[in-house]
């Protein structure tokens, strides 16, 4: 509930209150209402003690972002290089979103194309084979596989806020495909020298190195010929304007970033909201470690009177010590000059409150990064249900990021490969260039990434079996969510293994009795505490049972 601000009575108010107290109170109430007029929310108050000095600027998305981007990028990269928490957060994101790469599972729309399912299956296998060939030579620099480029894109977008991928054509000796990908770091896309953000005389708008049309659609990027921070190159700075689309509207560039506000033109680093927190936490951690080292080194301090020079302290000297320092040997005894006193530096470390404070700080950081505390530090010490809930929450974030990468990177690159394959005659796909609907039917695909981490595989397998039995899920969905791979290949492999068993006279494998396998400690995995178990309500901070696996 909003409270009226306190107002001081004027001289007239005091006179009125002296002769007519009720009228005087009404005057004060009216003035208080006027002071708080137009502020239905306490958060908009300009009179509170803690609110009156809080006057943030209400700038546009670009006004609040573009001027700070160079500093945010530099600090974000420095944290990733030198702070373990930042390094681990980025690595966790890349590992769970991309992992070893997203696998193509072609899914041609046979109904739109007017072909049978069997024909569609044959076409899908051809597409997947050609994709594997293309991925090996997709990097313009010839260094990385396409899946490694995808991981680099995700990492670069997280560290710098965004990254750019441009389509190039260079068919080297031995290459099957000439389509190549060139990755450009965010810093290289910037305004040409002398130009500022705003309207252009030739039409459109310039912002953050990108040119936009009147509808706000990106038209081209101004790319610097070298990284602005590369001081080893003596060549002059020069910009090249690279279009995002061809004249017939086909995409030739990819801008990977997460738009947080309407009309935002460039991305913000993943660590931007917590850069200051991570920096201070790193300094605090370093100070605690240094204090613990000082305590362990048994440092001796010699106090000398100000009016006396004092004799040199006996001890070993070395180049890595200052003039007023010496190294004490094992069991060494030194003599002090008259008036000098020896005292020991005792920083009282390790600090018993360090872990509690550090942990509380990391919980706040995890909230900002959408990484639960357990996953952020890779340490699952809470109850089974709490750890499982943490993984489920993190999975929602990873799945959203993976879907974005699949739509904006993998699918676009896949369309580039198919364009060259059809145009060169390697693949026969009737109507591919004639109708956008037919084109998308040929390009239908699912992108399978790393499976979700599991704390209790047996329990989840039982749930999947029940979902398949009731028709809630298909085997293909289970493969995509839990184990990865393609269900067709697994069925084919199962058939091959069964034929081998028949030839060896082993027959079909024995059916599972459904009994729960026992763990080494004698506990049944089926008895692991679940989210609905009453045991979790008693103490959520108890460690998970030994039978539960950690991711």
């Amino acid at each position: 509930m909003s409270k009226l601000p306190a107002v001081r009575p004027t001289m007239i108010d005091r006179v009125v209150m002296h002769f007519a107290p009720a009228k005087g109170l009404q005057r004060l109430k009216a003035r208080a209402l006027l002071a708080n007029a137009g502020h239905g929310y306490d958060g908009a108050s300009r009179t509170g003690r803690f609110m009156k000095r809080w006057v943030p600027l209400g700038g546009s998305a670009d006004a609040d972002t573009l001027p700070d981007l160079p500093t945010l990028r530099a600090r974000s990269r420095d944290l990733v290089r030198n702070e373990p928490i930042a390094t681990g957060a980025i690595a966790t994101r890349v590992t769970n979103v991309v992992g070893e790469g997203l696998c193509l599972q072609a899914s041609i729309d046979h109904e739109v194309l007017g072909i049978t399912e069997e024909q569609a299956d044959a076409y899908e296998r051809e597409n997947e084979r050609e994709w594997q060939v293309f991925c090996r030579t997709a990097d313009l620099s010839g260094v990385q596989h396409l899946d490694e480029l995808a991981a680099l894109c995700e990492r670069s977008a997280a560290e710098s806020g965004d990254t750019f991928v441009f389509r190039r054509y260079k068919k080297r000796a031995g290459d099957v495909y000439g389509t190549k990908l060139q990755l450009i770091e965010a810093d290289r896309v910037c305004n040409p020298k002398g130009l500022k953000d705003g309207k252009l005389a030739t039409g459109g708008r310039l912002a953050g190195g990108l040119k936009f049309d009147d509808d706000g659609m990106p038209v081209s990027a101004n790319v610097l010929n070298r990284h602005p921070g590369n001081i080893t190159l003596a060549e002059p700075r020069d910009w090249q304007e690279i279009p995002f689309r061809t004249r017939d509207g086909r995409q030739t560039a990819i801008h990977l970033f997460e738009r947080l506000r309407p009309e935002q033109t460039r991305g913000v680093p993943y660590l931007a909201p917590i850069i200051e927190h991570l920096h201070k936490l790193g300094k605090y951690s370093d100070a605690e470690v240094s204090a613990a080292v000082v305590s362990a080194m048994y440092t001796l301090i010699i106090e000398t009177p100000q009016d006396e020079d004092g004799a040199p302290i006996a001890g070993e000297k070395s180049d890595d010590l200052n003039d007023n320092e010496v190294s004490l040997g094992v069991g060494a005894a030194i003599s002090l000059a008259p008036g000098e006193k020896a005292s020991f530096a005792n920083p009282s470390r390790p600090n018993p409150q360090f872990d509690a404070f550090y942990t509380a700080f990391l919980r706040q950081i995890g909230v900002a990064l959408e990484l639960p505390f357990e996953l952020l530090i890779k340490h699952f010490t809470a109850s089974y249900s709490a750890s499982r809930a943490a993984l489920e929450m993190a999975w929602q974030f990873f799945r959203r990021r993976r879907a974005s990468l699949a739509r904006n990177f993998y699918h676009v690159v896949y369309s580039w490969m198919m364009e060259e394959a059809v145009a060169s005659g390697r693949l026969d796909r009737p109507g591919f260039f004639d109708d956008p609907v037919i084109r998308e039917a040929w390009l239908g695909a699912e992108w399978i990434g790393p499976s979700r981490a599991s704390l209790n595989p047996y329990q989840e397998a039982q749930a999947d079996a029940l979902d398949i039995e009731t028709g809630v899920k298909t085997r293909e969905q289970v493969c995509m969510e839990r184990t990865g791979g393609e269900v067709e290949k697994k069925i084919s492999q199962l058939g091959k293994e069964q034929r081998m068993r028949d030839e060896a006279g082993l027959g079909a494998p024995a059916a599972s009795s459904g009994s729960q396998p026992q763990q080494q400690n004698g506990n049944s995995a089926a008895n692991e505490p679940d989210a609905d178990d009453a045991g979790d309500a008693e103490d959520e901070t108890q460690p998970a049972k030994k039978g539960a696996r950690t991711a």
Side-chain angles (χ1 to χ4, degrees), residues 411-529:
H411 189 74
V412 175
V413 176
Y414 179 50
S415 68
W416 292 348
M417 183 277 293
M418 288 291 292
E419 285 179 3
E420 182 178 355
V422 175
S424 63
R426 288 190 60 85
L427 295 178
D428 182 20
R429 300 294 182 264
F432 186 85
F433 292 109
D434 300 333
D435 188 341
V437 176
I438 295 178
R439 171 190 171 92
E440 288 302 318
W442 286 116
L443 292 175
E446 297 286 342
W447 298 97
I448 305 172
S451 59
R452 180 178 55 186
S454 174
L455 292 177
N456 194 328
Y458 181 83
Q459 195 175 68
E460 294 185 9
Q462 286 182 313
D464 288 335
L466 181 61
D467 287 341
I468 292 176
E469 182 180 351
T470 57
V472 177
K473 285 184 179 180
T474 65
R475 288 179 171 82
E476 183 179 46
Q477 286 178 299
V478 173
C479 288
M480 292 174 61
E481 294 176 1
R482 294 193 61 247
T483 61
E486 301 179 23
V487 66
E488 293 89 351
K489 293 183 179 179
K490 291 189 176 185
I491 292 176
S492 176
Q493 180 64 25
L494 287 172
K496 179 180 178 181
E497 293 176 3
Q498 183 58 48
R499 288 192 296 272
M500 294 174 62
R501 292 181 63 88
D502 293 339
E503 292 174 359
L506 299 178
S512 174
S513 62
S515 60
Q516 169 66 42
Q518 299 294 319
Q519 304 292 326
Q520 292 182 358
N521 61 2
N523 293 333
S524 173
N527 295 326
E528 290 291 352

Side-chain angles (χ1 to χ4, degrees), residues 292-305:
V293 170
V294 170
S295 179
M297 294 296 290
Y298 203 72
T299 302
L300 180 67
I301 298 175
I302 305 298
E303 299 180 12
T304 304

Side-chain angles (χ1 to χ4, degrees), residues 355-366:
D355 185 66
F357 177 81
Y358 200 81
T359 298
F361 219 88
L362 290 181
R363 293 185 188 278
Q364 299 181 44
I365 291 174

Side-chain angles (χ1 to χ4, degrees), residues 110-177:
H110 65 92
E111 294 180 353
V112 172
L113 299 175
I115 58 178
T116 64
E117 292 188 20
E118 292 73 16
Q119 290 175 319
D121 290 340
Y123 283 130
E124 289 169 357
R125 288 191 290 270
E126 287 183 353
N127 289 3
E128 292 167 2
R129 283 194 292 267
E130 292 296 317
W131 174 251
Q132 292 299 323
V133 173
F134 167 79
C135 289
R136 298 190 186 97
T137 60
D139 185 7
L140 180 64
S141 63
V143 176
Q144 294 179 296
H145 187 275
L146 179 77
D147 291 326
E148 295 171 326
L149 287 180
L152 181 59
C153 285
E154 183 67 17
R155 175 179 294 275
S156 180
E159 289 186 13
S160 306
D162 54 7
T163 190
F164 294 84
V165 182
F166 293 101
R167 182 180 184 179
R168 296 286 186 265
Y169 187 88
K170 190 176 183 64
K171 193 170 184 179
R172 301 184 178 96
D175 288 354
V176 176
Y177 287 93

